[in-house]
Amino acid sequence: MDKYLKILRKELRPAMGCTEPAASALAGAKAAELLGLVPTSLEICTSRDMVKNAMGVGIPNCSLKGIQAAVALGASGGDSEKGLSILSSLGEEQIEKASAIPVSLVIESGVPSLYIKVTAKAGDDLAIATISGEHDRFSYLQHNTTVLRELAVDACGTELEVEDEQFLGSASLADLLSWVEQAPQEAIDLVLDAKETNLAIARHALDEEYGLSVGRIAAEPIGKEPSSLSEAFSLGSAMAAAASDARMAGCPLPVIINSGSGNQGITLTVPIAVVAAYLKKDDEQLGRALLLSQLIGLGLTARKDRLSALCGAFTASIGTACGLVYLLGGNLEEMDRAFNTMVGNLTGIICDGAKSTCALKIYSCVEAANLACKLAFRGLSPGSESGIVGKSSMESMDFLSRISHEGMEETDKTILSIMLGKQS
């Protein structure tokens, strides 16, 4: 199978609610299933980024929040076969059971950013389920003294092969564009289906009050049918924010994720779909623009940790900017300009966990993508003399990778320290 298509098929998957609580519930469910008994206690060992991203976000179909609640819900009757849609249905009995189970939490410093180990106990029996590397990758399973699975903790393994991530991480914008222009129909159908799923939650959120109602309020002056390209750009920003408003508040509608993130999946699809509808682009034109945005989002994630102090909405919106340029008939040179404008504008936006303000960040990032697109068609972008902007998009990608890995480690620690301090 075509390598790009293989990666897209693995990565563009549905998730219910924020993916960190979903992964936590999945680990809890698997541990309980291995135990074969109702757990009397649960122990969690996890990374600071998992705690950060689960702390303030709503869990679908209930009022509980946080990583401990998510693990307990999974262990109280969750079905691990549902994957990241495990929180799609929660009954009152399951919620009551989860609320009654003692859950301890340890934040481990020597593990990857995407890591959660759940130990379920009942009497003398125990079971362990560890997810790491990706949100639904079980890297370690144990029942009592029997080890059932043991994979490398920090490798992507079963869901995204290490070589695939290296392949994406070295791909240039020109490489991605070259493939997009001859991509098979199966790939186009895949991203069009993702677009429909993500538009559904965005449309729903324009009519309902979720979180800060960022998207709904931003869309009010425009309505649901833009009358100009400028309004289409703005409505795309608003609808992407609306989808995040709903998702972060626990709306029980699915999202197709990118890089393990629903917010990134929303950012990479909804704005482009709104602009394409206004321009009356056909499915092939829209599909190829979406393919480009999705692959840029995945490529940038391959250059940084999936969970980091660098906001994922920012890196995703770089893909959005390039997808918009493509949709409007731009070439590689104009996409390169848009890419560098985004780097010169928004680099440094921090991730302080999944919560209602993610919608604010998505709105700001997509508005910046709209501006980058407009500047690109005027022949404008910052040059390499501007801070961390590179001579090309490829060099800027390398600089972003360095900032994520070298520059933001202490920032990430400080963010979580502040967040935990507010709870004490």
Side-chain angles (χ1 to χ4, degrees):
M1 181 186 294
D2 181 293
K3 201 157 192 177
Y4 284 112
L5 178 57
K6 173 186 170 186
I7 292 169
L8 287 164
R9 288 181 63 184
K10 290 176 181 177
E11 287 289 327
L12 304 189
R13 306 192 301 276
M16 181 70 69
C18 180
T19 44
E20 279 69 56
S24 302
L26 189 57
K30 191 69 172 180
E33 288 168 2
L34 293 175
L35 187 65
L37 301 166
V38 177
T40 55
S41 68
L42 296 164
E43 298 172 1
I44 304 169
C45 177
T46 190
S47 67
R48 63 174 182 269
D49 288 295
M50 288 291 290
V51 174
K52 181 180 72 176
N53 275 21
M55 189 179 297
V57 70
I59 294 176
N61 302 303
C62 74
S63 61
L64 301 176
K65 289 185 178 183
I67 198 166
Q68 289 155 289
V71 168
L73 285 166
S76 299
D79 181 1
S80 65
E81 291 298 314
K82 292 183 177 179
L84 294 177
S85 294
I86 190 169
L87 297 171
S88 58
S89 58
L90 295 175
E92 286 300 320
E93 183 179 354
Q94 186 177 355
I95 294 170
E96 288 177 10
K97 284 182 180 178
S99 300
I101 300 176
V103 185
S104 64
L105 173 67
V106 173
I107 299 175
E108 181 61 61
S109 60
V111 296
S113 60
L114 207 170
Y115 176 94
I116 181 166
K117 172 185 173 184
V118 175
T119 303
K121 294 182 177 180
D124 294 329
D125 293 298
L126 68 79
I128 299 172
T130 300
I131 285 177
S132 66
E134 294 196 19
H135 290 79
D136 56 358
R137 173 190 179 258
F138 290 105
S139 58
Y140 186 87
L141 300 173
Q142 178 181 334
H143 179 222
N144 288 327
T145 59
T146 303
V147 176
L148 305 171
R149 177 182 296 176
E150 189 170 13
L151 304 175
V153 171
D154 57 352
C156 292
T158 58
E159 293 303 325
L160 179 61
E161 299 294 340
V162 174
E163 59 266 28
D164 288 346
E165 188 159 284
Q166 292 172 344
F167 171 68
L168 270 179
S170 62
S172 68
L173 192 53
D175 293 332
L176 300 180
L177 180 61
S178 176
W179 182 82
V180 162
E181 290 180 330
Q182 51 79 48
Q185 187 63 42
E186 183 181 349
I188 293 172
D189 291 342
L190 186 66
V191 292
L192 289 175
D193 287 345
K195 175 263 301 183
E196 285 300 322
T197 299
N198 293 350
L199 274 178
I201 191 172
R203 291 178 180 131
H204 167 74
L206 288 182
D207 296 324
E208 305 291 336
E209 291 189 14
Y210 287 104
L212 298 174
S213 291
V214 175
R216 187 174 62 84
I217 292 170
E220 282 177 353
I222 304 168
K224 296 179 182 179
E225 297 295 333
S227 59
S228 67
L229 180 57
S230 179
E231 284 194 351
F233 275 128
S234 295
L235 183 59
S237 305
M239 290 185 67
S244 180
D245 280 322
R247 182 171 172 271
M248 294 293 92
C251 172
L253 285 176
V255 165
I256 302 299
I257 63 177
N258 178 291
S259 306
S261 164
N263 279 339
Q264 290 185 57
I266 289 165
T267 302
L268 290 159
T269 53
V270 172
I272 295 171
V274 173
V275 173
Y278 172 77
L279 295 172
K280 295 182 169 52
K281 297 290 185 179
D282 61 30
D283 279 353
E284 181 176 349
Q285 291 170 307
L286 169 58
R288 295 193 192 281
L290 289 170
L291 279 173
L292 181 64
S293 68
Q294 296 275 16
L295 285 171
I296 291 171
L298 289 167
L300 288 171
T301 298
R303 289 170 164 84
K304 68 181 186 70
D305 291 331
R306 290 193 169 227
L307 301 182
S308 74
L310 195 63
C311 176
F314 156 56
T315 51
S317 64
I318 296 175
T320 307
C322 294
L324 289 169
V325 170
Y326 184 93
L327 192 66
L328 291 164
N331 57 30
L332 178 61
E333 184 178 354
E334 285 152 344
M335 292 171 203
D336 210 69
R337 289 193 199 115
F339 191 109
N340 278 351
T341 297
M342 292 296 289
V343 172
N345 186 358
L346 295 182
T347 301
I349 294 181
I350 63 168
C351 172
D352 53 343
K355 69 286 180 222
S356 62
T357 57
C358 288
L360 287 169
K361 294 183 181 183
I362 287 176
Y363 182 80
S364 298
C365 288
V366 178
E367 283 290 277
N370 296 338
L371 178 59
C373 177
K374 295 172 187 176
L375 290 173
F377 281 105
R378 299 287 186 95
L380 299 170
S381 66
S384 60
E385 76 283 353
S386 301
I388 61 161
V389 176
K391 295 176 183 177
S392 65
S393 58
M394 192 68 177
E395 191 171 48
S396 291
M397 289 182 202
D398 293 338
F399 294 159
L400 283 179
S401 178
R402 286 187 59 191
I403 288 168
S404 174
H405 290 289
E406 298 174 23
M408 302 194 82
E409 178 72 16
E410 290 305 314
T411 299
D412 206 31
K413 294 176 183 177
T414 302
I415 290 167
L416 183 58
S417 174
I418 291 170
M419 292 172 68
L420 292 174
K422 292 193 298 181
Q423 294 191 333
S424 61

